[in-house]
């Protein structure tokens, strides 16, 4: 105890330290020291006393409603509390027609197993390469024969009455190419289209170098969509690395984030699961990812390991690198439970930091 008092005394006589500590907005106390018979110096007591702020005074410093600009939306009641999701980890070949038929077969099999939401991988109709993107690209807005991949997704969603987050395909729009995810509702209509916002431009010497920006254009808008299975925020692969996007979706009331992705053999082992669990735990919602199956002979080798993560950061279901289908249950009641366990939204320090949703702010 004497050692503790000696440290406290010397620390409190340091003007610079005292100045920095006195400006903290968190309650500070030194249990037992004020009442210990060892502490007899009245000057020391006077120094300690100002730190003992009432809890009611400290509460005014917390401004969670100001941590989101505009303020966070209340989590909407989901149209369904429990449902099954299918993550279809597909093998991809240079044969586009085969890829489309193969994806359709997987979706139909998933619905037969009770899935109400199906998630496909990133670039499932084409090899993942800058040389392939222009060749396999489709005009999604034109539809029909101009976009056989999205037309298939629309048809099977309507016939099977399911929601499909259609992974991603190369999209041609005018003279630009995008990496695009289409979301189809149970009526087969296109509900949303997400163009990959953060392009995969990396250079790890001796490991992997890839620059999507050589052929692709970055998307300009976050994508959040209301479906028959809840409000879903969409990202594609590299988008998952940017926590601001996930936080934005959380502030817009998302129940689930879906990331079709194709992490590689260098970053996959280190970051794939880590990032999924982080996005889920940070925002206390579900995160689903879907990768292509690994092809060791391909120019770009995917890590695989499609995964569903719950709102506590727990891995609910995952697989290895081979072609596989995961059928897992999402229970939205767990979101409210975890947000009650850890009331992060009520504890955010809007007086210290803010997340600004530029799109929402400019529309008001």
């Amino acid at each position: 105890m004497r050692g503790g008092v000696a440290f406290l005394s010397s620390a409190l006589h340091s003007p610079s330290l005292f100045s920095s500590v006195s400006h903290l907005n968190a309650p500070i106390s030194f249990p037992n020291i004020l009442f210990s018979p060892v502490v007899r110096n009245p000057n020391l007591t006077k120094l300690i006393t100002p730190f003992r702020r009432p809890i009611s005074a400290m509460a005014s410093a917390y401004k969670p409603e100001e941590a989101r600009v505009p303020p966070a939306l209340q989590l909407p009641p989901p149209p369904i509390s429990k449902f099954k999701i299918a993550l279809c980890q597909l093998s991809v070949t240079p044969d586009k027609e085969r890829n489309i038929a193969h994806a359709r077969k997987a979706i139909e099999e998933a619905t037969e197993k009770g899935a109400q939401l199906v998630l496909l991988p990133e670039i499932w109709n084409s090899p993942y390469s800058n040389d392939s993107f222009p060749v396999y690209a489709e005009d999604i807005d034109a539809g029909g024969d101009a976009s056989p991949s999205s037309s298939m997704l629309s048809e099977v969603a309507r016939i099977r009455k399911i929601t499909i987050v259609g992974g991603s395909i190369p999209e041609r729009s005018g003279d630009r190419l995008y990496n695009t995810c289409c979301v189809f509702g149970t009526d087969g209509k296109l509900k949303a289209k997400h163009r990959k916002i953060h392009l995969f431009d990396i250079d790890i010497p001796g490991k992997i170098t890839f620059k999507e920006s050589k052929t692709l254009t970055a998307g300009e808008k976050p994508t959040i969509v209301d479906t028959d299975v809840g409000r879903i925020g969409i990202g594609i692969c590299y988008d998952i690395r940017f926590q601001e996007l996930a936080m934005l979706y959380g502030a817009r009331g998302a129940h689930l984030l879906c990331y079709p992705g194709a992490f590689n053999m260098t970053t996959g082992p280190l970051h794939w699961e880590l990032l999924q669990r982080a996005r889920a735990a940070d925002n206390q919602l579900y995160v689903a990812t879907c990768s292509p199956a690994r092809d060791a002979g391909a120019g770009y080798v995917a890590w695989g390991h499609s995964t569903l993560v719950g709102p506590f950061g727990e891995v609910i279901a995952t697989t290895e690198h081979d072609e596989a289908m995961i059928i897992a249950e999402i229970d939205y009641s767990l979101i409210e439970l975890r947000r009650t366990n850890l009331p992060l939204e009520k504890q955010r320090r809007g007086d210290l930091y803010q997340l600004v949703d530029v799109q929402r702010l400019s529309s008001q």
Side-chain angles (χ1 to χ4, degrees), residues 15-30:
S16 61
L17 180 61
F18 181 80
S19 175
S20 66
V21 171
S22 65
H23 285 82
L24 291 176
N25 285 324
I28 300 176
S29 63
F30 302 96

Side-chain angles (χ1 to χ4, degrees), residues 53 197 202 246 268 277 296 332:
R53 302 181 184 179
I197 294 174
I202 70 166
R277 296 184 66 193
Y332 284 143

Side-chain angles (χ1 to χ4, degrees), residues 60-92:
S60 62
Y62 289 82
K63 298 180 179 179
E65 70 282 356
E66 295 182 8
R68 300 285 192 264
V69 181
L73 301 177
Q74 185 175 359
L75 189 71
I80 187 171
S81 59
K82 292 182 181 181
F83 66 94
K84 288 183 179 179
I85 183 174
L87 313 178
C88 299
Q89 185 165 289
L90 303 174
S91 61
V92 179

Side-chain angles (χ1 to χ4, degrees), residues 183-364:
V183 181
F184 292 92
T186 55
D187 57 2
K189 293 182 179 179
L190 180 65
K191 297 184 71 69
K193 188 170 67 171
H194 178 78
R195 290 169 169 167
K196 190 173 186 176
I197 294 174
H198 306 93
L199 295 183
F200 179 61
D201 284 8
I202 70 166
D203 183 12
I204 304 176
K207 294 291 185 178
I208 182 173
T209 298
F210 199 101
K211 296 190 181 299
E212 279 188 326
S213 61
K214 284 185 176 180
T215 54
L216 301 179
T217 300
E220 296 295 332
K221 295 180 180 179
T223 305
I224 190 163
V225 55
D226 287 309
T227 74
D228 287 352
V229 290
R231 184 168 293 176
I232 303 175
I234 306 294
I236 298 174
C237 199
Y238 206 56
D239 286 339
I240 199 174
R241 288 191 176 274
F242 299 88
Q243 66 269 37
E244 297 88 348
L245 181 62
M247 292 166 65
L248 185 151
Y249 288 151
R252 291 189 185 185
H255 303 100
L256 166 68
L257 306 183
C258 287
Y259 294 97
F263 268 47
N264 56 77
M265 298 298 293
T266 299
T267 60
L270 287 171
H271 298 157
W272 180 238
E273 182 180 300
L274 171 69
L275 290 167
Q276 296 172 63
R277 296 184 66 193
R279 299 295 84 86
D282 286 349
N283 298 286
Q284 299 176 304
L285 40 66
Y286 282 89
V287 169
T289 62
C290 191
S291 168
R294 188 181 306 170
D295 179 358
Y300 180 94
V301 182
W303 171 241
H305 296 265
S306 302
T307 304
L308 176 67
V309 180
F312 214 44
E314 73 278 23
V315 174
I316 295 173
T318 190
T319 188
E320 295 295 325
H321 60 271
D322 294 325
E323 184 167 85
M325 180 184 297
I326 296 172
I327 304 289
E329 184 177 76
I330 286 179
D331 181 354
Y332 284 143
S333 69
L334 291 181
I335 295 178
E336 189 61 38
L337 173 64
R338 295 314 182 189
R339 293 183 179 186
T340 300
N341 297 155
L342 294 173
L344 303 184
E345 273 304 304
K346 298 177 182 178
Q347 298 168 332
R348 297 195 186 280
R349 292 296 301 270
D351 55 319
L352 299 180
Y353 49 76
Q354 295 177 335
L355 172 73
V356 180
D357 187 337
V358 176
Q359 190 180 51
R360 278 184 64 204
L361 191 64
S362 62
S363 67
Q364 292 186 349

